[in-house]
Amino acid sequence: MNDTLRWMVFTVGFVGICSLAHGADELPAPADVTTEKVLVVPKYCEGVVFDHQGYGYISWGDTITQFTPDGEHRDWAKTGAPNGHKVLADGTHIVCDASQHAMLHLDANGKILGAVSWQCEGKPLRGPNDLSLDPHGGFYFTDPGGSSDTNPIGTVHYVDTAGKTHLIDEGLAFPNGIVLRPGGKILLVAESKKNRILEYEVLGQGKVGKRRVFADLPAKDEAAGQIDNQPDGMCLDAAGNLYVAHYGMKQVQVLDPTGKLIARYDGGNLTTSNVAFGGSETNTLYITGGLGGEAGGGGLFRIPLGVKGLVILPPKAGE
């Protein structure tokens, strides 16, 4: 298999994993759980993800740090400006990197193998932000580079098994976190500058229906010390509830499958940036962000929710 296709070897068994979207435990009341600090890094961080050995990874500055559940950590790779991150069945990694204007492919030791996407239809990528794996063997990613509420040029893309990058949507005000629901039929995208979550019906590989609003999120409460209200990274639990890192609100907000807000958890970080389920039972929610504004240090926190997260890590190749 050539290098262009090798990173896509994760399809086998992934559809089965995605079928777990039922039977999750009831969410605990926010007052009944404690948000625990795991570690602090020098800069605002995001891109939390876990590999087959149980190691976690977070992105900050130009660095990706690997960590253990007890908080031991080491620098794993330096790419430029890493952000969203996923691990594939063969143990390699896909990382969004805004400074390289590309989706990077790294080996299991953090060595950069090359780029798997750097342009779409002849136009260079601006600044990829986050990604979601697809059971068909490709992946979706957001590119908000240069976009804002007054300059809505953000895009959403799909990379197929042949390595071709497709344009899914454009004209967005900073598309950010992105997740694919179990079965691969519904795609959710956080549109940060409009404080909302968008929903797309997936019609085929590289094809989606018209965008629609899945949920508008709460606005900041300045009296409570909240400084912004931008949805960032997202993840799902096994019941289909959506967990949204709400940047500037020091919260992870949980939406049920209909888009109704059902819980708000302390995110630890004021500029909460990303969320992922981890731990031996995949029932602990890990949270990244900035302890203050983006110019300060970053933190990794966790909440032992006891709720089963949706497993997004594909089985190891050959298993």
Side-chain angles (χ1 to χ4, degrees):
M1 182 174 293
N2 62 41
D3 288 340
T4 302
L5 296 179
R6 188 170 66 89
W7 56 272
M8 293 179 176
V9 184
F10 63 88
T11 305
V12 177
F14 189 56
V15 175
I17 289 176
C18 283
S19 67
L20 295 173
H22 64 277
D25 297 327
E26 185 177 349
L27 285 173
D32 293 339
V33 296
T34 301
T35 301
E36 307 166 350
K37 183 187 295 182
V38 180
L39 62 92
V40 171
V41 292
K43 296 182 179 180
Y44 169 84
C45 63
E46 44 197 319
V48 61
V49 71
F50 294 87
D51 68 13
H52 295 96
Q53 287 72 45
Y55 289 108
Y57 302 82
I58 56 174
S59 304
W60 59 273
D62 65 354
T63 302
I64 298 172
T65 288
Q66 182 190 72
F67 66 91
T68 65
D70 60 6
E72 293 185 10
H73 57 281
R74 68 181 183 91
D75 290 352
W76 179 75
K78 290 184 182 294
T79 67
N83 198 329
H85 186 160
K86 291 293 183 288
V87 181
L88 307 182
D90 62 0
T92 62
H93 301 235
I94 300 293
V95 175
C96 302
D97 195 286
S99 69
Q100 300 206 35
H101 312 286
M103 303 295 298
L104 301 179
H105 186 203
L106 282 69
D107 71 11
N109 297 312
K111 178 183 177 182
I112 298 175
L113 301 174
V116 293
S117 179
W118 58 93
Q119 61 84 31
C120 179
E121 299 174 358
K123 297 179 181 179
L125 302 180
R126 298 179 310 278
N129 183 284
D130 203 0
L131 74 154
S132 183
L133 303 181
D134 172 40
H136 297 294
F139 65 86
Y140 295 87
F141 71 91
T142 55
D143 186 349
S147 66
S148 66
D149 50 350
T150 58
N151 186 36
I153 59 170
T155 50
V156 181
H157 301 271
Y158 177 71
V159 179
D160 65 25
T161 54
K164 181 180 178 181
T165 301
H166 303 258
L167 179 65
I168 292 295
D169 198 7
E170 59 186 336
L172 299 174
F174 211 95
N176 201 326
I178 184 167
V179 294
L180 191 65
R181 284 201 179 277
K185 298 298 184 182
I186 297 293
L187 182 70
L188 298 169
V189 175
E191 189 176 17
S192 292
K193 294 297 184 178
K194 291 193 176 180
N195 196 24
R196 66 186 186 179
I197 308 300
L198 301 175
E199 181 181 60
Y200 303 82
E201 180 183 3
V202 177
L203 305 176
Q205 294 185 53
K207 298 179 180 179
V208 299
K210 186 177 180 179
R211 81 175 80 127
R212 52 184 181 257
V213 177
F214 173 68
D216 290 302
L217 297 182
K220 65 184 177 182
D221 180 356
E222 293 182 354
Q226 296 171 346
I227 64 171
D228 208 339
N229 43 231
Q230 297 189 53
D232 201 327
M234 306 186 296
C235 68
L236 294 162
D237 68 18
N241 298 314
L242 181 71
Y243 295 68
V244 182
H246 211 163
Y247 180 101
M249 296 186 74
K250 198 181 179 181
Q251 289 183 357
V252 175
Q253 296 169 356
V254 187
L255 308 175
D256 74 9
T258 70
K260 178 183 177 182
L261 180 66
I262 57 175
R264 301 188 191 206
Y265 293 105
D266 179 3
N269 302 283
L270 176 60
T271 48
T272 312
S273 66
N274 216 314
V275 284
F277 279 96
S280 60
E281 301 298 323
T282 322
N283 62 1
T284 298
L285 186 69
Y286 285 79
I287 309 155
T288 59
L291 301 176
E294 283 197 34
L300 174 67
F301 292 79
R302 66 184 172 205
I303 306 175
L305 285 179
V307 171
K308 187 72 173 178
L310 180 70
V311 178
I312 61 169
L313 180 65
K316 290 182 182 179
E319 290 188 356

